[in-house]
Amino acid sequence: MNRVKSSIRACVEHVFGCMTMSMGGKLTRKIGLERNDAWWGLKNLTFNFLRYLQRSSHIATVA
C-alpha cells in the first residue's frame, strides 16, 4: 500500500519542488484575492507549459 501512495505523492511533490526551487517559491505577497488567484494561475500555467515542453522534447528524442 505504501508503494501506491508513494508513487502518487512523488508526482505531487515534484510540482511543489519545481515551484520552490526554480519558480520563486510558494510564498505569495499580493494585495487582493483576485491578484493572488491570477498570480497562482499564471504560475501553474507556466509550470504546465514547461512540463509539456520537457515531455515533448523527450518524446522527440526517443522516437
Side-chain angles (χ1 to χ4, degrees), residues 19 23 38-52:
M19 286 186 180
M23 296 179 73
W39 184 80
W40 272 105
L42 289 173
K43 195 170 207 178
N44 289 330
L45 182 68
T46 304
F47 174 80
N48 289 333
F49 182 67
L50 292 174
R51 185 72 173 151
Y52 170 76

Side-chain angles (χ1 to χ4, degrees), residues 7-44:
S7 65
I8 295 170
R9 189 179 300 123
C11 293
V12 174
E13 290 295 327
H14 279 96
V15 174
F16 290 113
C18 178
M19 286 186 180
T20 301
M21 298 302 288
S22 64
M23 296 179 73
K26 297 181 287 185
L27 180 68
T28 60
R29 294 189 62 144
K30 308 289 182 252
I31 298 172
L33 291 175
E34 294 86 9
R35 189 174 290 178
N36 195 18
D37 287 343
W39 184 80
W40 272 105
L42 289 173
K43 195 170 207 178
N44 289 330

Side-chain angles (χ1 to χ4, degrees), residues 47-61:
F47 174 80
N48 289 333
F49 182 67
L50 292 174
R51 185 72 173 151
Y52 170 76
L53 289 176
Q54 184 182 33
R55 289 202 173 233
S56 65
S57 66
H58 176 70
I59 291 171
T61 57

